[in-house]
């Protein structure tokens, strides 16, 4: 009688303790104490991600999106940063793990692609050497085997003549090729989680699409969980299943890609959408930049962090300036942190914003 | 190298033991005999007396110097240390006897049988050469070799470094004479005669009574014409002394080893002991390093012989054990300031006298390190110069810090009651001379005389600046700080080069920096012609008095050097000829 | 690659000529502008009491009476074909490269330099080895332990090393280790007189350490700054993201890049020292190029000064060339195709 119940309870407890999804981030906070005050780079983020799915994290620079990804990888500045909350990767809490345990996961179970492939690859070593190094640190194989694997990986990411290019140096590659090599390196150990931090920002527009296609194809092939970090909604539109919009170290809207694009709820998201270039519209009508500048992470504005830049803050009777809005579910997992009433939001979206997009 | 370490340790231990003995026990009198370590170290124990006399032969005497000196060629050298050392490997006609005290300052016959015989009113000098003296290769020495040695030294283009006394005094030597162009020596036919192999006769263009001092110049050492290699002769001068050249390296130094063709029986007068079996001379050893090695017993002699470095001086004087190893040797050197008569108002004797009265003599002494650096000079000739007299006509010793009233009185007589302004030149890279200029600046200010200091580089001081008359005049160098050491220890050797106005050359390079007193020139001529030594010495005292009376120079101090005498050496004494340890007398314990 | 080398070598030769010409000009033109005549210059190289005639003879012998370009021409000719020198009874041929004869000692300069280069090379090489290991090592530790007590104390020692002059540290170490404890050789020993390499090193250990202390200090500071900079580079983050151990990240990725600029400085420092470690050689009385330079300058001995200048410039130019070539080996981005 008791056994099934016990099982259930135990199962629940286990799920809570070890995370529900493949990647389960709970109330993650990353604070940096400095002489001027505490920099709250990430101030309470939660999200979940399953294998085979893609999460887009969107925000301006300084919104905390890169720090989030670095802290998942364990690459934040140890000793300086104060980190709290939990990051479960396949049930293992990375926050409470030792640096050495996290290192063993890095590259093997979770890998990362960086923004500028030129500076992210060591200029003095050949591309092949760098992939071989990534492979051999987690796989006890001979150099020849690793080299063969590296050529294979280069071939897989679409680099022509991989057996020759394996001996080339990063500066001898074009930007797109470098990013392909970077991806080959990140995927060399077949990771379950791939974090791509602005993977196309430093690339030509034509190459951007190729790289995004590549990431999507490889994701399908490897069935890995992918986090795409970007300030460019266009990128996530191509790839993401879910999107989290960040502002001032916190999530202000979370939803499926369809929700965010078709029915965005937060004025900041509207701003982002408004500043997204689209080829199918006339220039003059488009590009409504968000006024003002991103907030200081030491002195985040009181109340809603976005209020100084928000066109609708006056509608909330002072709540925007005094009270921080919680990230609340408005139905079907679509969450938003905004004081506007659903009615006002709907009205503004329908009348002010949507027609201009 | 471990050998070195062990010897160092032993030497240090021995030094400590000795100095402890010196502190505790009664003072031992320096005993005779050849036993090592018979004497107890004591300050000034080797000044004018033999410390630890010894006849023990053997050992290697290690000498070092901070840079190579002009030349080891006896015909091409002008350094006191070199004239001292050269006696170990060549024999000039005359030489300073290797003996302590005043006796060591007089030339005695060396190659010559006896002192020179003057004739024709001291214009002709004849020497007889001893028989049985051989070069290191066994060939006998003749008067022709002496003649050649002197003749080759006249070529100052090839052998530029030596003194020019023979150029200045020998009769009818053609301009630009060189033994290398005139191989038959026709140019010196009138000047030097060699009637036979044992006789040499010098003919001078003017009388010179102390020619025996010329005859002790290293350039009278015999040189075989066939062996003369000109500028390269210094690499291996043909030895006639007890030692000959072993190795020679212009960058490192050289060795002297025993000359088996030297016969001590032909050398009864010079006092050479030839005690060490070998001399090693190391060049380019840093000055402080030399001092440290002397103290550690790893070096026997500081070849330069001018004393320890200032920083070492402070150290050894503060430590009684080290001080016991020092000798404060009076040098025939005067540190003084010339009052240039060509710069008004110093053309007036009263203005010059005012400076003599106003000067701070103790300050002058302080500039050179106080009493260890030397005694306050009251006249020109240092007491160590043979035949000199000390007098104090201006009362320097009574008014050590100057007499402002008398100075002002002289200024009135000069017609400058409110004083005047003038420049003082000194060698900018010599801190002591800078200190002199500054102390004079302060003390003369009290009498109303304003000095502006003008530093010049040492290397060109006498050649382009202070020693060039038109430069000194145009730049108003009224006071010129200078220092002078005698070529040798008599009135001529000390005074002639600095007070004879006829030595002043318009082209520069002078050693007389501005003394122009006609009476002084006349007295010098008389002294040079006087063959009676006592009378001659009196003339030089008169020269000294006349220069002081005319206030031609402001004497500063009679310099002293602080030499360090390691425990390793024996039979050590200062030589009155060069006022450093006698390198022909010294031996090892 | 070959064409590049040839170009560099030609450039270096031209530079060396400019250096000698400038030295020549400083020596002759500056006194000339001050109004000195050929005889005035020659008066430096005669004995104390030489007369005008003797001074003039010396001026002629040393060639000061000839036009400056002729004197320089002679010097250059001597370098390539040698020159004849009259030493009195006869002339001798000074074979190329003839750097001339000392104005004062009348010794040929070239053999002196040849004898002294190995001393300076021994000193510079040994010291360089020591300072590279200790300096870079200290720098890495300091950078990795940035802000710690260890970092601060190491950097204080380094500051002392940079600030204390050689003659101070040199004399102090001599008086303690050589004269006090008797552990090391005294100054003034020529290490090349030793046949056993152990004694050679024994003679040099104190100068090595003294000289290395000065350089190690600045290398420690340079390495620290370089490491702090590279450890913030993107490629170091990438290396960490691969899961490499911290040791591999630091040694293989961080240090490799941080050392590249240090390599340049090291090459130049070594080249500079090969031209004479003046203070160290003087303090320890080592018969090297630096000591020769001091002797030459003190007495205005132009041929020696020219010789030293040329040797020093040669080593600097050579070091520059080697550094550039090495750079291409180390950094594939500057590889010349």
């Amino acid at each position: 009688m008791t056994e099934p119940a016990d099982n259930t309870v135990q199962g629940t407890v286990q799920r809570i303790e070890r995370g529900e999804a493949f990647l389960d981030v709970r109330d993650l906070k990353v604070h940096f104490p400095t002489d001027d005050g505490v920099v709250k780079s990430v101030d309470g983020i939660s999200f979940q991600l399953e294998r085979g799915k893609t999460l887009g994290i969107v925000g301006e620079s300084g919104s905390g999106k890169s720090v989030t990804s670095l802290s998942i990888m364990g690459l934040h500045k140890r000793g300086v940063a104060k980190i709290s909350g939990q990051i479960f990767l396949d049930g293992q809490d990375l926050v409470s793990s030792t640096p050495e345990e996290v290192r063993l996961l890095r590259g093997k179970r979770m890998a990362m692609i960086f923004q500028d492939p030129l500076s992210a690859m060591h200029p003095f070593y050949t591309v092949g050497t760098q992939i071989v190094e990534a492979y051999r640190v987690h796989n006890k194989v001979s150099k020849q085997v690793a080299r063969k694997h590296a050529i294979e990986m280069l071939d897989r990411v679409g680099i022509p003549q991989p057996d020759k290019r394996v001996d080339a140096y990063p500066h001898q590659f074009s930007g797109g090729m470098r990013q392909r090599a970077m991806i080959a390196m990140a995927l060399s150990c077949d990771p379950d989680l791939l974090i791509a931090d602005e993977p196309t920002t430093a690339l030509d527009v034509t190459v951007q699409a190729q790289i995004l296609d590549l990431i999507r194809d490889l994701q399908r092939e490897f069935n890995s969980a992918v986090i795409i970090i970007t300030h460019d909604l266009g990128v996530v539109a191509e790839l993401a299943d879910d999107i989290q919009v960040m502002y001032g170290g916190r999530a202000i809207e979370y939803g499926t890609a369809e929700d965010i694009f078709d029915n965005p709820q937060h004025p900041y998201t509207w701003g982002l959408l408004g500043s997204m270039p689209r080829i199918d519209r006339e220039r003059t009508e488009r590009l409504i930049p968000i006024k003002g500048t991103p907030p200081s992470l030491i002195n985040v504005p009181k109340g809603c962090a976005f209020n100084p830049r928000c066109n609708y803050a006056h509608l909330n009777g002072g709540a925007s300036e005094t009270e921080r809005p919680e990230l609340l579910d408005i139905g079907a997992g679509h969450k938003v942190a905004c004081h506007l009433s659903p009615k006002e939001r709907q009205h503004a979206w329908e009348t002010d914003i949507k027609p201009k997009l | 190298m471990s050998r070195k370490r062990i010897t160092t340790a032993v030497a240090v231990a021995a030094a400590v033991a000795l100095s402890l003995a010196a502190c505790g026990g009664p003072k031992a009198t320096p005993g005779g005999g050849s036993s090592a370590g018979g004497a107890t170290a004591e300050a000034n124990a080797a000044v004018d007396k033999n410390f630890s006399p010894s006849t023990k032969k053997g050992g290697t005497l290690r000498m070092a110097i901070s840079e190579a000196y002009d030349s080891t060629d006896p015909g091409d050298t002008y350094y006191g240390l070199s004239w001292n050392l050269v006696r170990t490997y060549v024999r000039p006609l005359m030489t300073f006897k290797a003996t302590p005290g005043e006796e060591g300052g007089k030339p005695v016959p060396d190659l010559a049988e006896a002192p020179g015989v003057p004739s024709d009113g001291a214009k002709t000098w004849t020497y007889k050469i001893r028989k049985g003296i051989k070069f290191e290769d066994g060939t006998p020495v003749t008067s022709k070799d002496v003649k050649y040695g002197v003749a080759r030294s006249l070529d100052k283009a090839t052998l530029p470094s030596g003194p020019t006394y023979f150029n200045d005094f020998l009769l009818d030597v053609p301009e630009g004479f060189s033994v290398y162009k005139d191989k038959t020596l026709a140019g010196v036919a009138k000047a030097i005669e060699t009637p036979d192999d044992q006789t040499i006769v010098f003919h001078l263009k003017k009388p010179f009574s102390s020619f025996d001092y010329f005859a002790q110049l290293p350039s009278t050492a015999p040189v075989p014409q066939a062996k003369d290699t000109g500028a390269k002769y210094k690499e291996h001068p043909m030895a006639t002394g007890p030692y000959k050249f072993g190795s020679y390296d212009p960058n490192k130094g050289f060795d002297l080893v025993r000359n088996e063709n030297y016969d001590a029986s032909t050398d009864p007068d010079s006092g050479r002991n030839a005690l060490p079996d070998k001399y090693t001379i190391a060049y380019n050893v840093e000055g402080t390093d030399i001092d440290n090695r002397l103290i550690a017993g790893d070096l026997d002699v500081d070849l330069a012989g001018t004393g320890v470095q200032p920083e070492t001086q402070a150290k050894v004087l503060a430590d009684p054990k080290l001080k016991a190893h020092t000798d404060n040797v009076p040098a025939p050197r005067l540190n003084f300031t010339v009052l240039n008569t060509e710069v008004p108002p110093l053309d007036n004797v009263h203005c010059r006298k005012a400076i003599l009265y106003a000067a701070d003599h103790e300050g002058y002494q302080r500039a050179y390190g106080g009493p260890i650096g030397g005694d306050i000079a009251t006249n020109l000739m240092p007491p160590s110069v043979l035949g000199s007299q000390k007098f104090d006509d201006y009362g320097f010793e009574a008014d050590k810090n100057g007499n402002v009233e008398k100075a002002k009185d002289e200024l009135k007589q000069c017609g400058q009651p409110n004083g005047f302004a003038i420049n003082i030149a000194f060698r900018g890279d010599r801190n002591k001379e800078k200190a002199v200029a500054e102390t004079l600046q302060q003390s003369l200010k009290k009498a109303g005389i304003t000095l502006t200091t003008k530093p010049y580089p040492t290397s060109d001081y006498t050649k382009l600046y202070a020693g060039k008359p038109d430069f000194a005049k145009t730049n108003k160098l009224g006071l010129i700080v200078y220092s002078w050491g005698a070529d040798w220890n008599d009135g001529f050797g000390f005074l002639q080069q600095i007070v004879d106005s006829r030595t002043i050359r318009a082209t520069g390079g002078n050693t007389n920096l501005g003394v122009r007193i006609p009476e002084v020139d006349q007295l010098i001529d008389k002294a040079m012609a006087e063959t009676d030594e006592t009378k001659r010495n009196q003339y030089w005292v008169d020269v000294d008095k006349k220069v002081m009376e005319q206030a031609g120079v402001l004497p500063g101090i009679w310099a002293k050097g602080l030499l360090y005498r390691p425990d390793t050496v024996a039979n050590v004494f200062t030589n009155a000829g060069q006022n450093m340890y006698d390198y022909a007398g010294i031996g090892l314990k | 690659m070959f064409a590049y080398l040839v170009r560099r070598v030609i450039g270096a030769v031209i530079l060396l000529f400019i250096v000698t010409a400038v030295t020549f000009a400083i020596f002759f033109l500056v006194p000339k502008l001050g109004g000195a005549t050929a005889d005035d210059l020659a008066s430096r190289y005669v004995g104390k009491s030489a007369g005008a005639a003797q001074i003039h003879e010396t001026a002629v012998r040393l060639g000061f009476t000839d036009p400056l370009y002729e004197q320089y021409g002679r010097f250059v000719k001597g370098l390539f074909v040698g020159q004849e020198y009259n030493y009195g009874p006869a002339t001798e041929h000074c074979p190329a490269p003839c750097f001339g004869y000392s104005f004062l000692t009348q010794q040929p300069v070239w053999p002196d330099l040849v004898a002294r280069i190995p001393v300076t090379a021994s000193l510079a090489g040994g010291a360089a080895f020591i300072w590279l290991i200790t300096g870079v090592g200290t720098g890495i530790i300091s950078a990795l332990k940035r802000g710690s007590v260890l970092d601060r104390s190491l950097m204080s020692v380094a500051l002392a090393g940079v600030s204390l002059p050689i003659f101070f540290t040199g004399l102090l170490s001599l008086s303690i280790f050589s004269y006090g404890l008797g552990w090391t050789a005294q100054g003034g020993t020529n290490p090349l007189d030793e046949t056993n390499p152990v004694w050679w090193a024994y003679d040099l250990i104190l100068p090595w350490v003294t000289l290395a202390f000065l350089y190690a200090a600045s290398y420690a500071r340079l390495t620290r700054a370089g490491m702090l900079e590279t450890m913030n580079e993107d490629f170091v983050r990438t290396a960490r993201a691969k899961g490499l151990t911290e040791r591999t990240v630091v040694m293989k990725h961080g240090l490799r890049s941080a050392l590249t600029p240090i390599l340049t400085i090291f090459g130049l420092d070594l080249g500079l020292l090969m031209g004479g470690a003046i203070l160290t050689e003087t303090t320890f009385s080592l018969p090297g190029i630096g000591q020769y330079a001091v002797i030459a300058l003190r007495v205005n001995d132009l041929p020696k000064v020219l010789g030293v200048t040329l040797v020093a410039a040669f080593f600097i130019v050579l070091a520059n060339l080697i550094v550039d070539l090495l750079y291409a080996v180390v950094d594939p981005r500057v590889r010349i195709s």
Side-chain angles (χ1 to χ4, degrees), chain A residues 101-144:
Chain A
E101 283 167 348
V102 178
R103 179 184 75 76
L104 289 171
L105 297 175
R106 257 201 315 268
K108 186 171 173 59
R109 300 213 62 190
M110 52 185 181
M112 194 159 172
I113 304 165
F114 296 97
Q115 176 173 352
D116 179 1
L118 182 58
S119 66
M121 293 188 95
H122 202 294
F124 296 175
Y125 298 108
T126 60
V127 170
T129 312
Q130 300 189 50
I131 298 176
V132 165
E133 191 183 32
Y135 188 58
R136 287 190 74 213
V137 69
H138 298 295
N139 298 281
K140 293 207 181 313
V141 294
S142 70
K143 276 186 185 169
Q144 285 81 356

Side-chain angles (χ1 to χ4, degrees), chain C residues 34-58:
Chain C
T37 62
D39 285 6
D40 287 339
L41 281 174
S43 67
R44 288 165 167 171
Y45 312 108
V46 295
K48 264 200 280 198
S49 55
Q54 288 142 8
I55 292 173
H56 187 70
E57 268 178 60
T58 304

Side-chain angles (χ1 to χ4, degrees), chain C:
Chain C
M1 185 69 190
F2 180 73
Y4 169 80
L5 249 183
V6 170
R7 242 189 356 258
R8 285 297 306 261
V9 168
I10 292 171
V13 170
I14 293 171
L15 187 69
L16 291 180
F17 276 107
I18 294 173
V19 166
T20 55
V22 169
T23 313
F24 224 81
I26 290 172
F27 186 84
F28 282 106
L29 284 181
V30 172
K32 212 169 196 173
L33 294 176
T37 62
D39 285 6
D40 287 339
L41 281 174
S43 67
R44 288 165 167 171
Y45 312 108
V46 295
K48 264 200 280 198
S49 55
Q54 288 142 8
I55 292 173
H56 187 70
E57 268 178 60
T58 304
V60 172
R61 176 172 66 87
L62 299 178
F64 292 171
T65 46
D66 300 331
L68 202 53
Y69 64 85
E70 251 178 54
Q71 296 183 48
Y72 184 66
R74 259 202 306 276
F75 168 73
V76 173
K77 193 180 157 205
L79 286 179
F80 289 104
V81 296
Q83 67 179 61
E84 303 300 316
Y85 188 80
N86 180 354
Y87 62 91
T91 56
E92 76 175 358
H93 180 68
C94 167
C98 183
F99 282 53
Y101 285 72
S102 155
F103 285 169
L104 277 168
T105 66
Q106 307 192 42
Q107 294 283 342
V109 171
W110 177 241
D112 284 1
L113 292 171
V114 169
R116 282 165 179 273
I117 287 171
V119 178
T120 298
S122 302
L123 173 64
F129 179 75
I130 296 175
W131 92 56
L132 207 53
I133 301 236
T134 56
V136 171
T138 309
I140 296 171
I141 293 169
S142 250
L144 295 182
K145 306 278 174 198
R146 180 188 189 177
S148 67
V149 179
L150 181 67
D151 172 31
R152 270 180 233 153
S153 33
L154 285 176
M155 282 303 115
S156 306
V157 174
L159 184 65
V162 175
S163 334
L164 293 176
I166 288 273
F167 45 83
F168 176 78
T169 49
L171 289 176
L172 190 72
S173 58
L174 261 181
S175 74
I176 294 174
F177 297 108
S178 181
Y179 300 108
L181 299 168
W183 291 351
T184 55
Q186 301 146 10
T189 38
N190 185 346
L192 298 178
D193 291 344
E194 307 287 353
T195 44
N196 183 335
V198 175
W199 290 141
W200 168 80
Y202 175 84
D203 281 355
L204 280 166
I205 187 74
L206 211 51
W208 278 346
V209 172
T210 309
L211 183 58
F213 183 51
L214 177 76
Y215 281 90
S218 60
Y219 276 68
R221 294 166 72 86
L222 276 173
T223 309
R224 181 178 181 273
M227 280 300 282
L228 288 178
E229 203 185 308
T230 34
M231 290 310 282
N232 278 325
E233 291 278 359
D234 284 357
F235 56 76
V236 169
R237 192 181 55 186
T238 307
R240 287 214 177 96
K242 285 197 247 182
L244 299 177
T245 59
E246 194 58 21
R247 188 189 156 83
T248 315
V249 171
V250 171
M251 301 307 283
K252 198 171 161 191
H253 292 258
L255 190 59
R256 175 89 190 261
S257 301
L259 278 187
T260 318
I262 289 178
L263 176 77
T264 315
I265 299 164
F266 176 72
L268 295 180
D269 278 345
L270 196 60
L272 211 59
L273 275 184
M274 279 300 298
I278 290 181
L279 288 176
T280 314
E281 287 174 21
T282 311
T283 306
F284 292 95
S285 307
L286 289 168
I289 297 289
Q291 190 195 55
Y292 198 66
V294 173
I295 296 169
L297 284 170
R298 201 178 286 164
V299 293
N300 281 315
D301 202 340
L302 175 68
K304 286 186 178 179
V305 174
L306 275 174
V308 169
T309 312
L310 205 53
V311 166
F314 170 78
F315 280 118
I316 292 169
V317 166
L318 183 72
N320 246 318
L321 191 61
I322 292 176
V323 164
D324 282 359
L325 294 178
L326 263 184
Y327 224 106
V329 174
V330 172
D331 188 342
R333 285 172 299 182
V334 296
R335 216 159 275 178
I336 311 122
S337 47

Side-chain angles (χ1 to χ4, degrees), chain B residues 69 71-74 82 85-90 136 232-250 253-260 278-279 281 283:
Chain B
Y69 54 94
S71 176
T72 50
D73 183 337
S82 179
L85 185 65
V86 86
R87 291 143 71 226
T88 59
Y89 57 88
V90 293
E136 61 178 274
K232 292 174 162 189
Y233 189 67
K234 64 169 164 243
E235 292 167 18
H236 195 122
M238 289 298 283
T240 43
Y243 300 93
K244 63 178 178 182
F245 271 58
S247 65
Y248 177 89
D249 183 324
F254 60 98
D255 292 344
L256 295 172
V257 296
R258 286 204 185 272
N259 171 12
E260 55 279 8
K278 190 178 176 185
Y279 286 69
I281 291 92
Y283 292 159

Side-chain angles (χ1 to χ4, degrees), chain B residues 450-510:
Chain B
T450 313
L451 294 184
T452 307
T453 54
K454 296 275 177 187
Y456 296 103
T458 296
S459 53
D460 294 326
Y461 191 63
T462 61
K463 283 153 186 172
L464 303 181
Y465 305 110
K468 201 169 185 199
D470 57 345
F471 184 92
K473 198 176 170 184
T474 6
N475 290 278
K476 286 194 158 184
L477 305 181
L479 281 76
I480 299 171
V481 183
Y482 199 49
S483 171
W484 175 254
D487 282 0
W488 54 77
N489 254 338
D490 80 338
F492 175 86
F494 186 82
L495 281 176
Q496 193 258 349
Q497 287 285 315
I498 54 171
V499 298
D500 188 337
S501 72
R502 293 159 298 183
T503 65
I504 300 177
R505 289 179 293 253
T507 50
N510 291 309

